[in-house]
Amino acid sequence: MKNNKIKNSITALILLFAITAFSQNKSSNTVSLDIFYSKIQAEKKPQIIDARGPEEFALNHINGAVNFNLESKNYAEQVAKLDKSKPVFTYSIGAGRSVWLADELLKNGFKEAYSLEGGIANWIGNGKPFYASSKSKLTLTEYTKIVADNKTVLVDIGSKYCSACTKVKPVLETIKTQYGENLKIVEIDLETSPQVIADLKTIKVFPTLILYQNGKIVFKKDGFNDLKKDVDVALASK
């Protein structure tokens, strides 16, 4: 029993390191949304694999996708059900787990396997068809009104399952403390408001930060690097 636990722990660590490595280096099998979507459309019964956790999948996913939990005991059984002669389309929250899965499938005899660049953020964020388990808390009309009713608005769009997104929160708190009522901060999560993210049709990755001034976009950032600096510079020039 003890040896099995050690073996499972080692396997989990290897998977974690593999996923981390692939998330930092774009695979040759990672394709743009346009290519991913067109290839899916060309298939009568596309094999679409959601490589996220079951909780994430239950909240939202690409229409027609099935969930492969990479850490589940029946992972091999799930793979065995796929047709190796036909393309497999994988995605995750970004491009970590899905890249790893696509590459593993190719190593194991699959003819074609593609990972979606930007993951579910890119798919939903550009208005492609998806399933959601609940109605969005925020609508596009409400979003537009917030932007119109406030002189300066900083919008944070992400997911609680996105590790980079969690790192934005303390930065937002610092910005909020500095600017107070002079800056309206709006946080939009995929889990609670997927439809407004889809309706915006401009989101490619999580997190995405958008700064509005008098209803117009001052900047739109993919990722949060230098967010505090960019906000300071933008507001100092106004």
Side-chain angles (χ1 to χ4, degrees):
M1 181 67 71
K2 184 176 180 180
N3 288 336
N4 287 335
K5 288 183 178 180
I6 293 174
K7 183 179 180 181
N8 290 336
S9 297
I10 292 174
T11 301
L13 283 172
I14 292 173
L15 177 59
L16 176 61
F17 286 131
I19 290 172
T20 301
F22 277 120
S23 65
Q24 293 173 349
N25 299 286
K26 183 178 176 181
S27 168
S28 60
N29 300 308
T30 302
V31 297
S32 69
L33 175 62
D34 288 343
I35 292 175
F36 193 83
Y37 184 69
S38 64
K39 286 183 177 294
I40 285 178
Q41 292 295 99
E43 298 292 318
K44 289 184 178 180
K45 292 183 179 180
Q47 302 181 112
I48 308 173
I49 308 302
D50 187 313
R52 299 177 298 164
E55 290 183 359
E56 298 170 79
F57 179 80
L59 290 169
N60 51 70
H61 54 259
I62 293 176
N63 286 346
V66 294
N67 186 218
F68 274 29
N69 183 357
L70 304 185
E71 298 179 11
S72 67
K73 295 180 179 179
N74 65 341
Y75 168 72
E77 295 176 10
Q78 291 176 310
V79 172
K81 294 177 182 178
L82 297 173
D83 187 340
K84 289 187 175 183
S85 67
K86 295 181 179 180
V88 178
F89 306 93
T90 71
Y91 70 93
S92 52
I93 192 69
R97 290 167 286 185
S98 60
V99 172
W100 183 88
L101 177 57
D103 279 35
E104 279 298 300
L105 293 176
L106 289 171
K107 289 177 183 177
N108 285 279
F110 281 78
K111 184 179 179 181
E112 298 177 73
Y114 304 98
S115 171
L116 173 59
E117 183 177 16
I120 192 71
N122 198 8
W123 182 276
I124 293 181
N126 280 276
K128 300 303 183 187
F130 69 97
Y131 163 85
S133 61
S134 61
K135 186 177 179 180
S136 291
K137 289 185 178 180
L138 181 70
T139 66
L140 183 60
T141 300
E142 292 168 336
Y143 177 94
T144 304
K145 189 175 188 305
I146 291 172
V147 172
D149 289 351
N150 294 273
K151 182 179 179 181
T152 309
V153 181
L154 178 60
V155 182
D156 166 35
I157 301 174
S159 165
K160 68 179 182 180
Y161 295 102
C162 160
S163 60
C165 298
T166 61
K167 296 177 182 178
V168 178
K169 304 309 178 184
V171 180
L172 291 177
E173 285 300 318
T174 299
I175 294 173
K176 183 178 181 180
T177 299
Q178 179 177 341
Y179 291 99
E181 296 181 357
N182 293 321
L183 175 63
K184 174 74 173 179
I185 295 178
V186 180
E187 298 178 64
I188 302 175
D189 291 330
L190 176 66
E191 294 70 43
T192 57
S193 296
Q195 191 57 54
V196 70
I197 295 175
D199 290 340
L200 287 171
K201 292 185 173 66
T202 59
I203 309 305
K204 296 180 179 179
V205 299
F206 289 151
T208 291
L209 287 302
I210 308 173
L211 181 68
Y212 293 89
Q213 186 87 16
N214 297 319
K216 296 181 179 180
I217 295 178
V218 177
F219 69 68
K220 176 174 172 288
K221 293 172 61 66
D222 295 340
F224 70 99
N225 289 338
D226 297 322
L227 175 61
K228 175 65 167 58
K229 177 183 175 182
D230 289 345
V231 169
D232 290 339
V233 171
L235 298 190
S237 63
K238 298 297 179 180

